[in-house]
Amino acid sequence: MENRNGNGKLRVYCEEYNKPPYVSGNWVPKMIEIAGGTGIAIEGLPSYTLPLEQVQDFNPDCIILSWCNMGRKLDKSKELFYKRKGWQELEAVQKGRVFPINDSLLNRPTPRLVHGAGRLAEILDEVRLGLL
């Protein structure tokens, strides 16, 4: 897969909360970088809302849903995400590259973050290789 940002890294939109949508901040942008991606959020800032237009301009290669308190209800988060208006225009949505993961892997500052970075790397590798 050829990316659009010219640095060999996939563009990743990672979302921490869904109503309203909050892009994952704090340490998650660094985790995305470690996993081989480029995130839309600013490292070190708390999670924050972004206008849909900004996400559309970023046009991520893949979307990670790590919604707080959804835990293992991964299918439900993906189902709710696909019902949003305006998000269907994103290439990642059109190509089915929306991946819910257990929020405890990214949202808790514990040793689980190592597993979370590993899971992000797996997803990005599979997207890059065209497996997903």
Side-chain angles (χ1 to χ4, degrees):
M1 158 178 251
E2 183 177 327
N3 70 1
R4 294 172 306 282
N5 59 10
N7 66 3
K9 295 187 175 194
L10 298 176
R11 292 179 184 217
V12 179
Y13 172 80
C14 186
E15 191 173 277
E16 183 174 313
Y17 196 71
N18 66 323
K19 286 190 178 182
Y22 273 75
V23 64
S24 298
N26 298 309
W27 51 82
V28 175
K30 186 64 169 181
M31 292 176 69
I32 291 169
E33 182 182 328
I34 290 168
T38 299
I40 190 172
I42 299 168
E43 182 183 347
L45 291 182
S47 300
Y48 53 93
T49 60
L50 284 176
L52 174 57
E53 295 78 22
Q54 190 172 346
V55 179
Q56 289 170 330
D57 287 345
F58 183 69
N59 198 19
D61 296 301
C62 68
I63 296 170
I64 308 294
L65 304 177
S66 179
W67 291 353
C68 291
N69 300 318
M70 287 301 277
R72 297 173 192 249
K73 301 176 199 168
L74 303 179
D75 290 336
K76 184 68 172 169
S77 63
K78 193 170 182 178
E79 176 186 321
L80 292 171
F81 178 83
Y82 274 108
K83 291 181 180 179
R84 287 188 192 162
K85 292 183 180 177
W87 289 75
Q88 293 77 19
E89 298 173 22
L90 299 172
E91 184 177 331
V93 175
Q94 293 172 2
K95 294 189 175 182
R97 293 194 221 117
V98 178
F99 307 99
I101 66 171
N102 190 316
D103 65 300
S104 70
L105 295 176
L106 302 183
N107 298 340
R108 296 181 188 165
T110 68
R112 288 184 193 199
L113 294 178
V114 174
H115 298 292
R119 181 65 185 124
L120 289 174
E122 288 172 0
I123 291 169
L124 297 185
D125 285 347
E126 291 176 5
V127 168
R128 194 175 290 108
L129 295 171
L131 301 176
L132 297 175

